Amino acid sequence: MASVKLSGITKRYEDVTAVDDMNLEIEDGEFVTFVGPSGCGKSTTMETIAGLTLPTEGSIEIGGRDVTDLPPKDRGISMVFQNIALFPHMDVYDNISFGLRLRKYDQEEVERRVEEAADIVQLEGMMERMPSEMSGGQRQRVAIARAIVRNPGAFLMDEPLANLDAELRVHMRTQLQRLHRELDTTIIYVTHDQAQAMTMSDRIAVINSGVLQQVAPPLECYNEPANRFVAGFIGSPSMNFIEGEAVADGFESTYTDIEFDPDAQGVSPGQNVTVGVRPEDVHLERNAGEAGAPTKAFDAVVDVIEPVGKEVNAYLLFDRDVEASAEGRGEGQLLINLEPDTTISESDDVQVVLDRDNVHLFDRASGDAISHSL
Ligand code: ADP
């Protein structure tokens, strides 16, 4: 087990700053996930920890030791990547034990470690299979077992489930959590998939454009996003945003107004603010009891209804004149989650309320969160 500490890590490629002054301390045995959109710098950060690339500035400690200039093999880490590079001409046993044999471990020790790792990832009885005779998930488990046998201080995993189909991905998610529990080892995991980040991690590190946005337990990022980026990235379907302005008695926008005391919320009249509300925190006025503290009701029109089984997603327009944007939810559009048996039809006129306890306010200029409850 090892802690990992990044101090002022910056990585520049000519005119691209892939990672910008990243500071992060990962505790011994912690499962931390780097999450963010494609190109935000997740892999580059991971590569600096692994030693596959040198940071332009900053230092890295693993287990309290400065490893900034050490080659990957001397850092006490194991890596698992998206592209599972198994040796095609070797069976499972030889693939898993390859690194140990290379390092001249004695036969008994190799067998013991391979058996233990195979047991953890449930590959017993498959030692003589060739990679070509295995499914994607089984091959990925071989790759993980190969990382386990090295008994590393930390595992670095970069999108290890990206090439698996959806069902297998969910299954492997559970497996990885078990693995973490059993090994009690530090895991640093990279994914662009916020669902993976939310379900597996002790903490998630949300990155955008090379900059760390928030490092916190998943539910804290969900319930108290540090800024508008985190609010929009974490959670699926994503949060609704309404652009407007703080006024003397609350918030005003083209289609809605919400009463609150600006002083108590820390906003000044005239300030450009964004209201954020998750689809599950919008309710039909006739079910206003579902909201802990409903706002006054707004008129809306039902645009599109999506039954997804356990719930219904309804896309609303604040006004019949609003043009539904083809590129995601635009101004004047609102997504609401409803119970599956809700009777509602496209083009219905409805009234909705927001749950004040879960209405977020963001400063429009900086994007920073101001408040998470009105
Ligand atoms: P992510 O893993 O979040 O998708 P990356 O860390 O791969 O993002 O990339 C971050 C940024 O750095 C991107 O803009 C990418 O184009 C750039 N980048 C990554 N590697 C290199 C490289 N070897 N040379 C130049 N630019 C790179």
PDB file of all heavy atoms in Angstrom, residues 242-245 251-257 318-319 322 331-332:
ATOM      1  N   ILE A 242     -30.723  27.299 -15.483  1.00  0.00           N
ATOM      2  CA  ILE A 242     -31.548  28.426 -15.916  1.00  0.00           C
ATOM      3  C   ILE A 242     -30.725  29.701 -15.685  1.00  0.00           C
ATOM      4  O   ILE A 242     -30.306  29.978 -14.562  1.00  0.00           O
ATOM      5  CB  ILE A 242     -32.865  28.498 -15.099  1.00  0.00           C
ATOM      6  CG1 ILE A 242     -33.600  27.152 -15.135  1.00  0.00           C
ATOM      7  CG2 ILE A 242     -33.764  29.615 -15.630  1.00  0.00           C
ATOM      8  CD1 ILE A 242     -34.775  27.052 -14.132  1.00  0.00           C
ATOM      9  N   GLU A 243     -30.479  30.427 -16.771  1.00  0.00           N
ATOM     10  CA  GLU A 243     -29.651  31.639 -16.667  1.00  0.00           C
ATOM     11  C   GLU A 243     -30.522  32.824 -16.302  1.00  0.00           C
ATOM     12  O   GLU A 243     -31.617  32.989 -16.847  1.00  0.00           O
ATOM     13  CB  GLU A 243     -28.980  31.953 -18.023  1.00  0.00           C
ATOM     14  CG  GLU A 243     -28.262  30.799 -18.677  1.00  0.00           C
ATOM     15  CD  GLU A 243     -27.025  30.364 -17.912  1.00  0.00           C
ATOM     16  OE1 GLU A 243     -26.636  31.076 -16.955  1.00  0.00           O
ATOM     17  OE2 GLU A 243     -26.466  29.316 -18.261  1.00  0.00           O
ATOM     18  N   GLY A 244     -30.051  33.656 -15.383  1.00  0.00           N
ATOM     19  CA  GLY A 244     -30.825  34.836 -14.999  1.00  0.00           C
ATOM     20  C   GLY A 244     -30.011  35.791 -14.164  1.00  0.00           C
ATOM     21  O   GLY A 244     -28.782  35.822 -14.251  1.00  0.00           O
ATOM     22  N   GLU A 245     -30.738  36.508 -13.317  1.00  0.00           N
ATOM     23  CA  GLU A 245     -30.102  37.591 -12.574  1.00  0.00           C
ATOM     24  C   GLU A 245     -30.666  37.605 -11.160  1.00  0.00           C
ATOM     25  O   GLU A 245     -31.854  37.334 -10.956  1.00  0.00           O
ATOM     26  CB  GLU A 245     -30.474  38.900 -13.289  1.00  0.00           C
ATOM     27  CG  GLU A 245     -29.718  40.103 -12.849  1.00  0.00           C
ATOM     28  CD  GLU A 245     -30.220  41.347 -13.592  1.00  0.00           C
ATOM     29  OE1 GLU A 245     -30.469  41.269 -14.815  1.00  0.00           O
ATOM     30  OE2 GLU A 245     -30.395  42.373 -12.923  1.00  0.00           O
ATOM     31  N   PHE A 251     -34.562  35.654  -7.658  1.00  0.00           N
ATOM     32  CA  PHE A 251     -33.971  35.366  -8.962  1.00  0.00           C
ATOM     33  C   PHE A 251     -34.991  35.611 -10.052  1.00  0.00           C
ATOM     34  O   PHE A 251     -36.170  35.284  -9.886  1.00  0.00           O
ATOM     35  CB  PHE A 251     -33.553  33.885  -8.965  1.00  0.00           C
ATOM     36  CG  PHE A 251     -33.163  33.329 -10.309  1.00  0.00           C
ATOM     37  CD1 PHE A 251     -31.870  33.498 -10.786  1.00  0.00           C
ATOM     38  CD2 PHE A 251     -34.080  32.617 -11.084  1.00  0.00           C
ATOM     39  CE1 PHE A 251     -31.501  32.969 -12.029  1.00  0.00           C
ATOM     40  CE2 PHE A 251     -33.717  32.094 -12.323  1.00  0.00           C
ATOM     41  CZ  PHE A 251     -32.424  32.269 -12.797  1.00  0.00           C
ATOM     42  N   GLU A 252     -34.532  36.166 -11.156  1.00  0.00           N
ATOM     43  CA  GLU A 252     -35.432  36.408 -12.277  1.00  0.00           C
ATOM     44  C   GLU A 252     -34.768  35.947 -13.568  1.00  0.00           C
ATOM     45  O   GLU A 252     -33.584  36.172 -13.767  1.00  0.00           O
ATOM     46  CB  GLU A 252     -35.690  37.910 -12.387  1.00  0.00           C
ATOM     47  CG  GLU A 252     -37.163  38.260 -12.472  1.00  0.00           C
ATOM     48  CD  GLU A 252     -37.369  39.759 -12.378  1.00  0.00           C
ATOM     49  OE1 GLU A 252     -36.861  40.492 -13.257  1.00  0.00           O
ATOM     50  OE2 GLU A 252     -38.007  40.185 -11.397  1.00  0.00           O
ATOM     51  N   SER A 253     -35.562  35.275 -14.408  1.00  0.00           N
ATOM     52  CA  SER A 253     -35.042  34.914 -15.730  1.00  0.00           C
ATOM     53  C   SER A 253     -36.178  35.087 -16.713  1.00  0.00           C
ATOM     54  O   SER A 253     -37.281  35.497 -16.332  1.00  0.00           O
ATOM     55  CB  SER A 253     -34.563  33.463 -15.724  1.00  0.00           C
ATOM     56  OG  SER A 253     -35.674  32.600 -15.638  1.00  0.00           O
ATOM     57  N   THR A 254     -35.936  34.784 -17.970  1.00  0.00           N
ATOM     58  CA  THR A 254     -36.957  35.031 -18.997  1.00  0.00           C
ATOM     59  C   THR A 254     -38.286  34.357 -18.639  1.00  0.00           C
ATOM     60  O   THR A 254     -39.351  34.940 -18.802  1.00  0.00           O
ATOM     61  CB  THR A 254     -36.480  34.478 -20.361  1.00  0.00           C
ATOM     62  OG1 THR A 254     -35.139  34.907 -20.544  1.00  0.00           O
ATOM     63  CG2 THR A 254     -37.351  34.960 -21.489  1.00  0.00           C
ATOM     64  N   TYR A 255     -38.209  33.110 -18.134  1.00  0.00           N
ATOM     65  CA  TYR A 255     -39.457  32.359 -17.949  1.00  0.00           C
ATOM     66  C   TYR A 255     -39.835  32.087 -16.501  1.00  0.00           C
ATOM     67  O   TYR A 255     -40.926  31.598 -16.235  1.00  0.00           O
ATOM     68  CB  TYR A 255     -39.354  31.012 -18.671  1.00  0.00           C
ATOM     69  CG  TYR A 255     -39.022  31.139 -20.133  1.00  0.00           C
ATOM     70  CD1 TYR A 255     -37.744  30.862 -20.593  1.00  0.00           C
ATOM     71  CD2 TYR A 255     -39.991  31.561 -21.048  1.00  0.00           C
ATOM     72  CE1 TYR A 255     -37.427  30.990 -21.937  1.00  0.00           C
ATOM     73  CE2 TYR A 255     -39.681  31.689 -22.384  1.00  0.00           C
ATOM     74  CZ  TYR A 255     -38.396  31.409 -22.825  1.00  0.00           C
ATOM     75  OH  TYR A 255     -38.090  31.540 -24.147  1.00  0.00           O
ATOM     76  N   THR A 256     -38.891  32.316 -15.583  1.00  0.00           N
ATOM     77  CA  THR A 256     -39.174  31.926 -14.200  1.00  0.00           C
ATOM     78  C   THR A 256     -38.680  32.984 -13.235  1.00  0.00           C
ATOM     79  O   THR A 256     -37.792  33.760 -13.562  1.00  0.00           O
ATOM     80  CB  THR A 256     -38.404  30.641 -13.823  1.00  0.00           C
ATOM     81  OG1 THR A 256     -37.016  30.886 -14.037  1.00  0.00           O
ATOM     82  CG2 THR A 256     -38.854  29.443 -14.598  1.00  0.00           C
ATOM     83  N   ASP A 257     -39.267  33.005 -12.050  1.00  0.00           N
ATOM     84  CA  ASP A 257     -38.628  33.729 -10.961  1.00  0.00           C
ATOM     85  C   ASP A 257     -38.793  32.924  -9.688  1.00  0.00           C
ATOM     86  O   ASP A 257     -39.734  32.140  -9.553  1.00  0.00           O
ATOM     87  CB  ASP A 257     -39.176  35.151 -10.828  1.00  0.00           C
ATOM     88  CG  ASP A 257     -40.666  35.163 -10.700  1.00  0.00           C
ATOM     89  OD1 ASP A 257     -41.368  35.038 -11.741  1.00  0.00           O
ATOM     90  OD2 ASP A 257     -41.144  35.249  -9.561  1.00  0.00           O
ATOM     91  N   PHE A 318     -40.635  25.911 -21.289  1.00  0.00           N
ATOM     92  CA  PHE A 318     -41.277  26.891 -20.410  1.00  0.00           C
ATOM     93  C   PHE A 318     -42.399  27.636 -21.124  1.00  0.00           C
ATOM     94  O   PHE A 318     -43.230  28.265 -20.499  1.00  0.00           O
ATOM     95  CB  PHE A 318     -40.248  27.913 -19.906  1.00  0.00           C
ATOM     96  CG  PHE A 318     -39.442  27.399 -18.742  1.00  0.00           C
ATOM     97  CD1 PHE A 318     -38.066  27.400 -18.778  1.00  0.00           C
ATOM     98  CD2 PHE A 318     -40.081  26.936 -17.598  1.00  0.00           C
ATOM     99  CE1 PHE A 318     -37.324  26.943 -17.706  1.00  0.00           C
ATOM    100  CE2 PHE A 318     -39.346  26.471 -16.522  1.00  0.00           C
ATOM    101  CZ  PHE A 318     -37.972  26.466 -16.578  1.00  0.00           C
ATOM    102  N   ASP A 319     -42.387  27.569 -22.443  1.00  0.00           N
ATOM    103  CA  ASP A 319     -43.332  28.365 -23.209  1.00  0.00           C
ATOM    104  C   ASP A 319     -43.506  27.683 -24.557  1.00  0.00           C
ATOM    105  O   ASP A 319     -42.560  27.084 -25.070  1.00  0.00           O
ATOM    106  CB  ASP A 319     -42.672  29.754 -23.404  1.00  0.00           C
ATOM    107  CG  ASP A 319     -43.607  30.761 -24.002  1.00  0.00           C
ATOM    108  OD1 ASP A 319     -43.980  30.592 -25.184  1.00  0.00           O
ATOM    109  OD2 ASP A 319     -43.934  31.722 -23.296  1.00  0.00           O
ATOM    110  N   VAL A 322     -40.862  28.483 -27.218  1.00  0.00           N
ATOM    111  CA  VAL A 322     -39.448  28.116 -27.118  1.00  0.00           C
ATOM    112  C   VAL A 322     -39.116  27.097 -28.205  1.00  0.00           C
ATOM    113  O   VAL A 322     -39.849  26.145 -28.416  1.00  0.00           O
ATOM    114  CB  VAL A 322     -39.138  27.491 -25.731  1.00  0.00           C
ATOM    115  CG1 VAL A 322     -37.717  26.927 -25.702  1.00  0.00           C
ATOM    116  CG2 VAL A 322     -39.338  28.500 -24.623  1.00  0.00           C
ATOM    117  N   GLU A 331     -31.828  27.003 -23.395  1.00  0.00           N
ATOM    118  CA  GLU A 331     -32.560  27.962 -22.575  1.00  0.00           C
ATOM    119  C   GLU A 331     -34.072  27.719 -22.759  1.00  0.00           C
ATOM    120  O   GLU A 331     -34.538  27.511 -23.871  1.00  0.00           O
ATOM    121  CB  GLU A 331     -32.170  29.374 -23.040  1.00  0.00           C
ATOM    122  CG  GLU A 331     -32.705  30.505 -22.202  1.00  0.00           C
ATOM    123  CD  GLU A 331     -32.207  30.489 -20.756  1.00  0.00           C
ATOM    124  OE1 GLU A 331     -31.173  29.855 -20.467  1.00  0.00           O
ATOM    125  OE2 GLU A 331     -32.883  31.105 -19.914  1.00  0.00           O
ATOM    126  N   GLY A 332     -34.802  27.704 -21.670  1.00  0.00           N
ATOM    127  CA  GLY A 332     -36.247  27.526 -21.775  1.00  0.00           C
ATOM    128  C   GLY A 332     -36.676  26.072 -21.787  1.00  0.00           C
ATOM    129  O   GLY A 332     -37.863  25.771 -21.887  1.00  0.00           O
TER     130      GLY A 332
END
